[in-house]
Amino acid sequence: MKHTKTVYFSLGSNLGNRILQLQKAIFEIAKNVGPVTQISKVYQSPSWGFEGDNFLNICIAVTTALNPQKLLDTVLAIEISLGRVRTAEKGYQSRSIDIDILYYDQEIINTEQLEIPHPQLHLRKFVLAPLADIAPQFYHPKLQKDSRNLLQECRDKGIITPTNYTLYSTPESFFGQLQFIAIEGNIGAGKTTLARKISQDFNGKLILERFADNPFLPKFYEDQARYAFPLEMSFLADRYQQFTDDTQQFDLFKNFMVSDYDIYKSLIFAKITLQEEEFSLYRKVFNFMYKEVKKPDVYVYLYQHTPRLLDNIKKRGRDYEQKIPSDYLDKINRGYLDFIKSTPDTNSLIIEVSDLDFVAHKEDYQEILQQIIAFMLTKKRKL
């Protein structure tokens, strides 16, 4: 068993989506360096030593088996992977991500490439404030003062402002704090596939819509006018029963819940398929039921344009879906978009997936995950 060390890092970003850059850096450090055991508050600070946009700064504690040189090499590789560009110009510059090694346990290291403790950490309030959050009594091995004392004595005049951003040590912990994610989309958009992948990758309880057993569905595609009302009422009854059962049964072995539908879809589809009088009656029943169901923390809508939807529907080969007209799919897309527009408090995120294949291409899947993470990091901010 390898001997491990506790390492303290300072992370900062003042380019692009700063909070997402910090979160991605934490995930990469956890994956390539070792477990992230502590994360400070997120602070905003002015650029230090040059004119530039404000930074977001944090400190983290990590347990690692890497030796100092390997640690440095790994950190530099992570910075490059996150878009850090180092130039030959002298002085400080704006950066997408900056990762500094502050301490490597109590060791003192002085080589051509690496100096630990970081030689300027005691001069920078944007380092000392977050460091004091997670290691208030950690003693600087050269100065023999702890983080709180160094912060009190620091002469840096920069204004450091705490924010209400929250960052997470792993993707699993991020998804776990969401509790409930609903993945929605048009027919053939890939919502079930995405919900299944997320549940498998991050230990979520999977809630799938059971629609194939509905006896009215094939008949509806043959004669919409005749079978629309019994179809929508049966869907509503089935969805309500299943949804309440599944979302109320907490699974102790799962971190969160992810579904491939939200019960509000019943109203969206009913508005498209029902006559005005039928829809008025339907809505009364729906409103009564909707008050009782669990609402998702984030509502993800996978948008695909109609030609791609038709192609997906053809590929999956369900006989009763092959005659779905394109204008019906257009109406469904508009119905979902109108719902999202009219309910701003739902934490709704629209992801354009017409040009993505998150099954065949891992990078497309990662792009979707990053959009969800970036959206929720910002939404949970309470400044």
Side-chain angles (χ1 to χ4, degrees):
M1 184 175 180
K2 290 185 177 180
H3 184 64
T4 58
K5 300 283 188 177
T6 297
V7 180
Y8 291 96
F9 292 98
S10 171
L11 283 70
S13 174
N14 79 326
L15 286 179
N17 188 331
R18 300 172 299 165
I19 193 64
L20 179 60
Q21 286 291 92
L22 292 178
Q23 184 62 85
K24 287 162 67 175
I26 292 172
F27 289 164
E28 288 300 310
I29 288 171
K31 184 168 67 174
N32 296 288
V33 176
V36 176
T37 57
Q38 289 181 289
I39 302 173
S40 73
K41 296 175 188 175
V42 181
Y43 292 83
Q44 182 163 279
S45 66
S47 55
W48 196 88
F50 71 104
E51 292 295 325
D53 293 335
N54 288 340
F55 275 80
L56 291 182
N57 299 99
I58 60 169
C59 284
I60 63 173
V62 180
T63 301
T64 187
L66 300 181
N67 63 48
Q69 185 58 50
K70 181 62 176 176
L71 178 64
L72 177 62
D73 293 342
T74 303
V75 165
L76 293 175
I78 291 172
E79 286 186 333
I80 292 171
S81 73
L82 296 178
R84 175 72 184 269
V85 177
R86 296 181 183 272
T87 67
E89 295 180 27
K90 292 184 178 180
Y92 297 104
Q93 299 173 341
S94 293
R95 64 216 77 162
S96 57
I97 193 68
D98 187 27
I99 306 173
D100 287 328
I101 304 169
L102 302 179
Y103 295 122
Y104 186 85
D105 263 352
Q106 285 287 322
E107 293 193 20
I108 297 174
I109 300 167
N110 197 343
T111 69
E112 188 175 330
Q113 292 182 300
L114 182 62
E115 186 174 350
I116 299 177
H118 191 287
Q120 298 189 59
L121 76 85
H122 62 291
L123 304 176
R124 299 173 174 178
K125 195 182 293 184
F126 66 83
V127 172
L128 292 171
L131 184 61
D133 286 345
I134 61 172
Q137 295 180 306
F138 189 92
Y139 268 75
H140 192 296
K142 286 185 176 180
L143 301 179
Q144 291 301 306
K145 295 179 180 180
D146 67 21
S147 302
R148 291 176 303 183
N149 288 333
L150 292 175
L151 178 59
Q152 290 170 357
E153 296 175 3
C154 182
R155 297 182 180 181
D156 182 3
K157 301 301 182 183
I159 299 174
I160 311 302
T161 307
T163 74
N164 284 312
Y165 286 118
T166 301
L167 294 170
Y168 302 89
S169 58
T170 62
E172 289 80 4
S173 63
F174 169 82
F175 281 99
Q177 54 82 34
L178 291 180
Q179 296 186 26
F180 179 34
I181 306 169
I183 309 292
E184 267 287 14
N186 209 326
I187 301 167
K191 51 190 177 291
T192 302
T193 302
L194 181 61
R196 195 182 299 278
K197 285 178 70 66
I198 289 176
S199 73
Q200 291 171 348
D201 289 348
F202 306 111
N203 192 36
K205 175 183 176 181
L206 181 62
I207 300 173
L208 297 181
E209 182 180 11
R210 296 188 289 268
F211 62 90
D213 297 330
N214 192 307
F216 295 105
L217 191 57
K219 297 175 183 179
F220 167 76
Y221 288 130
E222 295 292 337
D223 189 347
Q224 293 191 16
R226 180 179 178 184
Y227 290 102
F229 190 73
L231 173 73
E232 298 302 344
M233 288 301 296
S234 63
F235 265 142
L236 178 59
D238 290 345
R239 284 178 184 138
Y240 177 77
Q241 183 65 54
Q242 178 199 356
F243 201 78
T244 52
D245 287 347
D246 286 344
T247 56
Q248 288 176 3
Q249 295 175 5
F250 185 73
D251 190 333
L252 293 174
F253 299 99
K254 299 296 182 181
N255 294 333
F256 64 103
M257 294 183 290
V258 56
S259 71
D260 70 344
Y261 74 107
D262 179 70
I263 198 170
Y264 203 95
K265 77 180 297 178
S266 298
L267 197 64
I268 294 171
F269 277 77
K271 189 174 184 179
I272 296 169
T273 59
L274 299 181
Q275 300 296 322
E276 186 175 347
E277 296 82 4
E278 292 175 331
F279 181 71
S280 179
L281 174 60
Y282 180 94
R283 182 155 200 163
K284 290 179 181 178
V285 178
F286 174 85
N287 287 342
F288 176 76
M289 292 181 171
Y290 191 62
K291 292 177 183 178
E292 307 299 320
V293 300
K294 185 177 179 65
K295 310 305 188 291
D297 293 275
V298 57
Y299 180 100
V300 178
Y301 182 66
L302 303 179
Y303 178 83
Q304 282 199 7
H305 55 62
T306 301
R308 175 79 183 274
L309 292 171
L310 289 170
D311 185 52
N312 292 344
I313 290 169
K314 183 178 180 180
K315 285 179 180 177
R316 73 184 184 185
R318 295 173 183 165
D319 291 340
Y320 58 84
E321 291 181 342
Q322 300 308 308
K323 295 182 181 180
I324 297 177
S326 60
D327 64 331
Y328 179 63
L329 297 176
D330 290 337
K331 289 177 182 177
I332 293 173
N333 264 338
R334 284 197 297 272
Y336 273 109
L337 296 176
D338 287 344
F339 159 66
I340 292 170
K341 189 183 299 182
S342 63
T343 53
D345 296 332
T346 356
N347 266 359
S348 300
L349 170 64
I350 301 172
I351 301 180
E352 167 65 73
V353 294
S354 297
D355 297 323
L356 300 180
D357 186 343
F358 53 84
V359 176
H361 302 297
K362 184 178 180 180
E363 61 271 20
D364 289 349
Y365 175 53
Q366 291 299 322
E367 168 63 23
I368 291 173
L369 294 180
Q370 286 187 20
Q371 288 196 42
I372 295 172
I373 292 170
F375 177 76
M376 290 309 295
L377 287 175
T378 304
K379 279 292 180 180
K380 288 186 174 291
R381 183 185 180 197
K382 299 177 182 177
L383 275 181

